[in-house]
Amino acid sequence: MPANSVGIVEPKSHTFPGPFKLACGRVLDEYTLRYETYGTLNADRSNGVLICHALSGHHHAAGYHSTSDKRPGWWDHYIGPGKPIDTNKFFVVALNNLGGCHGSTGPASINPQTGRPWGPDFPPLRARDWVHSQAQLADLLGIECWAAVVGGSLGGMQAMRWSLEYPQRLRHCVVIASAMKLSAQNIAFNETARQAITSDPNFSDGRYLENNTLPRDGLAVARMIGHITYLSDDGLGKKFGRELRSGTFEQGVEELVEFQVQSYLRYQGDSFSGSFDPNTYILMTRALDYFDLAREYDNDPVKAFSHARCKFLLVSFTSDWRFAPERSREIVDALMHANVPVSYAEVESPMGHDAFLLPNERYEKIFSAYMDNVAKEGQSGVLS
C-alpha cells in the first residue's frame, strides 16, 4: 500500500426504517445506504467531512478493498494521510447515494411489496432526497455538524443543497466544477444518453433484470456520450490525436482503420456497462436535469443563498465546457450578493470536466490550503 493511502477499507451498510418521504410525494418503507469511512472521528464529533459523489460515483472514494485491487477509490488522489482531505485530521464519510447500484437501495434492489426488482418503478429522486438521506446517515454516526460537505459536479449540487436544507449542520461547503442548474445543452446530452439505453432491444421497458437481459450496448453508448463531454478537445488531442490503433491509409490497401480514440471510448463504454445499472443511470441523469437551486426561491439565487450559514470554496477548470467556469462564477456572484463568505479559484487545466478527479498541482495546493484552514478552525473552536 502507498504510504499516503487510507489502506484496506471495508464498506458498511445500514438500513433506515421509514417512512421516508421523497420530493415526488412517494414514500419508501425503508432504505439501505452503503458507505465507507476513513480517519477517526474526534471526541466532540466536529471533524466529519461528507463526500457527495458525482453521477457514476459511489461509496468507494479512497483506499482499497483488497491487496489485489488494481485501482484505489475514485477520489483517492485527494483523500488520505497528507492529502487535501487529510485523514489524519478529518473523519471522512463517502456513500453510495439512494437510487445507486453499488449497495444502496435503488432500481436493481428488490421491491419489498412485489418481491421483484424495482426496475422502472423505483421513485424518481431529487438532490434534496439524497441530502435528507445523508442527514439520516449523519445522525447514525452522531455527527451534528459537518466540518465540510464536499462534492464535484453532481456532488457539488448536493453540497449546495446541504447549505440550504440544513444550514446549521455544515461549517464549510466545497463545490467543485458544478452549477446551480444545467444548461439546455447539458440536458440534451443526458437525454441522448438515456435514449441510447432505452432504444436497446434488451432494455425490455426497464425490466431487463426480470427478463434476464441487459442493455449493455445502449449503456455503453450512453457512457461514451457522457465521457466525451467530460473531456476537452485539447485533452483528447494531446492524448490521442489522430493516431491509429489498427489499419492503414496506404494507397492500394483496403484495410479497416481504427483510431486510438475510438478504441479508448469503446473500452470505457464496455467497462462501464458491466458495472453500472442502466435504470440507475436514467434515474441519476434525470435528477441532474431536474436540479435548480433557486427554483423554490423565486428563481433568485441570492435569495436562495441568503439561507446559507457556512463558508464556501468554489473551484472551476478552464477547459471544462460541460460545467464551465462561468457557471461557478454565477454561484460566486450570488454568494457575494447574499453576503456569504466565499473563496473562488479558476484552475488552468487541459483535462475538461474530469480535471476535478485528476492530479493538478495548483488545484491540490488550493484544496489543501482551504481544508487545512477548516481543520485549524475546528481545533480552535473559533470560526476563522
Side-chain angles (χ1 to χ4, degrees):
M1 291 292 152
N4 62 352
S5 171
V6 298
I8 302 296
V9 295
E10 184 175 346
K12 307 175 182 71
S13 293
H14 184 81
T15 299
F16 296 86
F20 185 69
K21 188 172 183 179
L22 303 169
C24 67
R26 291 171 64 183
V27 174
L28 292 177
D29 293 334
E30 64 177 27
Y31 68 93
T32 298
L33 292 182
R34 187 79 160 163
Y35 66 99
E36 292 180 359
T37 64
Y38 324 112
T40 303
L41 190 61
N42 60 12
D44 61 3
R45 300 178 182 268
S46 63
N47 68 333
V49 172
L50 175 67
I51 306 298
C52 301
H53 69 68
L55 174 64
S56 58
H58 45 70
H59 57 278
H60 187 40
Y64 300 81
H65 286 158
S66 73
T67 54
S68 62
D69 281 2
K70 294 181 179 179
R71 289 184 176 183
W74 60 268
W75 220 15
D76 188 79
H77 193 79
Y78 291 92
I79 301 173
K83 297 177 182 179
I85 304 176
D86 192 340
T87 50
N88 290 328
K89 302 173 182 177
F90 296 111
F91 175 69
V92 182
V93 180
L95 76 158
N96 182 211
N97 279 346
L98 178 65
C101 55
H102 292 94
S104 293
T105 298
S109 305
I110 298 299
N111 180 346
Q113 296 183 0
T114 66
R116 299 191 301 272
W118 277 97
D121 296 331
F122 195 82
L125 298 176
R126 303 285 182 90
R128 56 170 32 94
D129 295 320
W130 293 329
V131 168
H132 294 326
S133 65
Q134 291 160 8
Q136 291 200 345
L137 178 59
D139 292 341
L140 175 73
L141 298 171
I143 299 172
E144 185 176 338
C145 181
W146 298 102
V149 176
V150 183
S153 191
L154 178 59
M157 294 176 170
Q158 296 168 62
M160 286 187 285
R161 181 60 72 189
W162 257 97
S163 75
L164 304 187
E165 297 292 316
Y166 298 97
Q168 306 297 334
R169 297 197 66 173
L170 69 164
R171 299 197 302 275
H172 292 266
C173 183
V174 179
V175 181
I176 306 169
S178 195
M180 288 187 286
K181 59 184 176 183
L182 288 194
S183 65
Q185 183 187 51
N186 272 320
I187 295 172
F189 277 122
N190 286 344
E191 176 60 17
T192 304
R194 289 191 293 266
Q195 286 296 320
I197 295 170
T198 58
S199 297
D200 188 315
N202 287 324
F203 182 64
S204 302
D205 294 324
R207 303 194 184 281
Y208 43 85
L209 293 177
E210 295 181 55
N211 295 325
N212 294 314
T213 62
L214 188 66
R216 287 197 61 159
D217 291 345
L219 183 58
V221 172
R223 181 59 172 177
M224 290 167 69
I225 293 168
H227 200 68
I228 292 169
T229 70
Y230 304 147
L231 305 173
S232 70
D233 181 47
D234 187 38
L236 280 171
K238 288 181 177 178
K239 188 171 185 177
F240 301 108
R242 291 178 55 84
E243 295 298 317
L244 297 184
R245 178 174 176 81
S246 62
T248 179
F249 287 115
E250 182 182 350
Q251 293 191 36
V253 177
E254 183 180 351
E255 188 174 337
L256 185 65
V257 167
E258 181 183 31
F259 291 96
Q260 288 282 6
V261 69
Q262 291 175 270
S263 175
Y264 169 75
L265 286 175
R266 278 202 295 272
Y267 169 78
Q268 291 292 333
D270 290 344
S271 176
F272 185 77
S273 66
S275 63
F276 208 84
D277 177 60
N279 278 323
T280 290
Y281 196 87
I282 291 171
L283 179 150
M284 290 201 171
T285 55
R286 284 176 174 161
L288 186 58
D289 292 350
Y290 299 158
F291 183 82
D292 186 343
L293 191 77
R295 182 186 292 116
E296 289 93 14
Y297 300 92
D298 300 324
N299 294 310
D300 181 354
V302 177
K303 185 176 180 181
F305 280 125
S306 68
H307 295 268
R309 296 294 178 267
C310 61
K311 296 180 179 181
F312 282 77
L313 170 66
L314 271 289
V315 180
S316 66
F317 300 90
T318 53
S319 60
D320 184 355
W321 56 275
R322 183 144 199 191
F323 289 82
E326 291 88 335
R327 304 288 78 81
S328 289
R329 290 197 291 268
E330 289 172 353
I331 300 169
V332 172
D333 289 346
L335 287 165
M336 290 174 63
H337 283 93
N339 294 314
V340 177
V342 56
S343 301
Y344 172 61
E346 183 176 315
V347 177
E348 186 75 30
S349 171
M351 303 309 295
H353 188 55
D354 270 357
F356 84 92
L357 299 168
L358 303 173
N360 180 298
E361 185 178 0
R362 182 164 180 260
Y363 173 35
E364 290 174 43
K365 286 181 177 179
I366 292 164
F367 203 171
S368 292
Y370 191 88
M371 294 305 295
D372 281 347
N373 284 333
V374 174
K376 291 174 183 175
E377 171 191 295
Q379 291 170 358
S380 67
V382 178
L383 293 177
S384 61

